[in-house]
Amino acid sequence: MTTANPVFIPGPTNIPEVLRKAYDMPTLDHRSPAFAEILHPVLAGVKRVLKTEAGEVIVFPATGTGGWEASIANTLSKGDRVLAGRNGMFSHRWIDLCERFGLDVEVIEHRWGEGLDAARYEAALRADTGHAIKAVLATHNETATGVVSDIAAIRKALDAAGHPALLMVDGVSSIGSMDFRMDEWGVDLAVTGSQKGFMLPPGLAIVGVSPKARKAMEGADLPRAFYDFRDMMGAYANSGYPYTPAVGLMNGLRVACDMLLAEGLDAVFARHARIAGGVRAAVEAWGLKLCAETRAVQSDTVSAVRMPDGIDANAFVARAAQTYGVAFGTGLGEVAGKVFRIGHLGMLTDVQALAGLSAAEMVMSDLGVNFAPGSGVAAAQAHYRATVEGAALGLAAE
Ligand SMILES: *Cc1c(COP(=O)(O)O)cnc(C)c1O
């Protein structure tokens, strides 16, 4: 498949040239003082992106999944109860990981397309008068369904119930693209990776750790070695790693943080909202429905589009790849074959988004979908033209 086209998968995302140059570097001794000049700006930069002053940042050579594992393995003990909402494949996988660690997971089932319901979290927390629940898990942006959930509301649910559990948030497909406020929302563990909002290749698990999570670490007895926060924190104090860090990616992350912060986080979020608005306008013009049930939960980083009955969404994704060299995301789990996903996070311009929507229209025509060809592209063009004035094109200028 050609690599000339941008990808429209919700991670890994398109890589800006400036980042490609930043991680393509000669070998640097990670035990030399030169590494400190990468490490410390990374930790400081990620803290700003997470909006935390109280928290610490730890970066593992891993992926988002490693971040999930690190969060639970460092703070929980065998048999601990955790409360988790499930509304798609990613929240499901985190639950599965917890179960494999012998945790007792109380699952709040949601429809795939629904946002996490803070009221149901609160009811479960209030019912837990003995405080058996040690951690509450929430997926900020469910990448399988294109659904964003209100993490501030989950925090309020914990507070309203007077419950001391840790709040662990998967922000893998939101952090760096949609507003995320670790301190304000009282997030104890914030998990992300390098290959989504940070616009880098996969290879880093990035975890924000609150002071409360650090305290929980002392009594936790789940096995951990590679992901031991204590080893990392000890090594960071000496500007190093307990093992070999992914030096090139760390340098990429340093520059990625600089880029996001130079554009301004608010401008980055506004840019994502604009691009997403055009995609949503296109989907509406096609007469198709998003998997996300209401406007309030529609994600600014990924749209899962329901195919009409009788049209296989996997055939859509395969045709786009094979015929036009364009990557869209497949449906996962419960919505496999029913939705295709358009990733619109990281580096993406209006023009690139229009190209993706245009390719999607060609594929829909090929598959015999009943829609007006050109209608989605026109709707997105109208949205971008109407909102471009004064909008920070930011990364587009790179
Ligand atoms: C991509 C993603 C992950 C992590 O996946 P990895 O492949 O391990 O990086 C976790 N959660 C969400 C919501 C994601 O989008």
Side-chain angles (χ1 to χ4, degrees):
M1 191 161 131
T2 176
T3 53
N5 296 321
V7 294
F8 298 94
I9 50 176
T13 62
N14 298 295
I15 304 171
E17 197 55 29
V18 57
L19 294 188
R20 208 189 306 267
K21 285 175 179 151
Y23 64 74
D24 179 4
M25 60 188 285
T27 300
L28 180 151
D29 177 5
H30 60 281
R31 301 196 192 283
S32 73
F35 182 66
E37 290 170 31
I38 297 174
L39 176 66
H40 295 297
V42 162
L43 303 179
V46 172
K47 278 179 69 166
R48 288 181 61 195
V49 174
L50 294 178
K51 296 190 179 168
T52 183
E53 283 176 15
E56 278 184 47
V57 167
I58 299 182
V59 184
F60 295 99
T63 69
T65 304
W68 286 339
E69 179 163 332
S71 298
I72 64 155
N74 280 282
T75 58
L76 300 176
S77 298
K78 197 129 189 118
D80 274 356
R81 182 172 304 170
V82 308
L83 178 68
R86 172 159 51 203
N87 62 344
M89 200 61 190
F90 290 90
S91 40
H92 167 72
R93 283 190 189 147
W94 201 5
I95 288 166
D96 175 59
L97 187 145
C98 289
E99 287 170 344
R100 294 197 212 180
F101 269 82
L103 297 171
D104 171 18
V105 189
E106 182 178 338
V107 180
I108 310 175
E109 296 290 356
H110 293 70
R111 291 184 303 277
W112 286 36
E114 189 183 7
L116 297 175
D117 182 352
R120 287 158 68 194
Y121 273 89
E122 186 178 331
L125 290 164
R126 281 188 190 278
D128 179 38
T129 49
H131 295 168
I133 295 169
K134 299 301 177 203
V136 170
L137 272 50
T139 298
H140 186 203
N141 190 72
E142 179 44 86
T143 317
T145 55
V147 164
V148 62
S149 290
D150 183 351
I151 300 302
I154 308 271
R155 171 79 263 162
K156 281 200 196 109
L158 276 148
D159 293 347
H163 203 293
L166 296 168
L167 176 57
M168 304 189 181
V169 178
D170 174 342
V172 182
S173 62
S174 57
I175 288 169
S177 307
M178 291 190 283
D179 198 11
F180 188 92
R181 305 180 181 201
M182 182 167 167
D183 284 1
E184 191 182 315
W185 297 344
V187 174
D188 293 302
L189 290 133
V191 177
T192 188
S194 49
Q195 79 274 28
K196 307 219 173 154
F198 286 109
M199 305 167 286
L200 291 164
L204 298 176
I206 301 164
V207 187
V209 185
S210 78
K212 185 171 156 186
R214 278 204 302 276
K215 203 165 287 160
M217 191 169 80
E218 287 156 23
D221 73 7
L222 282 182
R224 64 232 205 232
F226 183 81
Y227 289 120
D228 200 321
F229 287 166
R230 294 165 299 191
D231 294 345
M232 285 300 229
M233 288 171 179
Y236 282 1
N238 296 311
S239 299
Y241 260 68
Y243 38 70
T244 316
V247 177
L249 285 174
M250 292 288 285
N251 196 47
L253 185 55
R254 178 182 66 80
V255 179
C257 289
D258 285 352
M259 282 174 76
L260 292 169
L261 296 166
E263 184 179 351
L265 291 177
D266 288 342
V268 171
F269 305 148
R271 178 165 53 79
H272 281 79
R274 277 187 71 248
I275 298 274
V279 173
R280 287 190 284 262
V283 172
E284 195 184 336
W286 292 334
L288 299 181
K289 292 258 173 300
L290 290 169
C291 186
E293 290 175 4
T294 60
R295 175 66 194 93
V297 302
Q298 287 164 2
S299 166
D300 284 342
T301 61
V302 52
S303 296
V305 183
R306 288 194 179 277
M307 275 276 125
D309 286 344
I311 308 272
D312 178 6
N314 289 333
F316 172 97
V317 173
R319 173 104 193 159
Q322 286 157 15
T323 308
Y324 302 109
V326 177
F328 292 101
T330 54
L332 302 172
E334 251 181 49
V335 290
K338 295 181 185 154
V339 307
F340 74 91
R341 293 176 300 148
I342 305 175
H344 36 80
L345 73 164
M347 181 188 65
L348 209 62
T349 64
D350 298 1
V351 170
Q352 288 171 324
L354 288 168
L357 295 169
S358 178
E361 292 195 351
M362 290 196 285
V363 177
M364 291 198 296
S365 293
D366 293 348
L367 297 183
V369 174
N370 180 24
F371 79 110
S375 61
V377 171
Q381 285 172 335
H383 178 81
Y384 295 143
R385 289 181 60 236
T387 54
V388 73
E389 203 72 50
L393 283 175
L395 296 171
E398 292 293 336

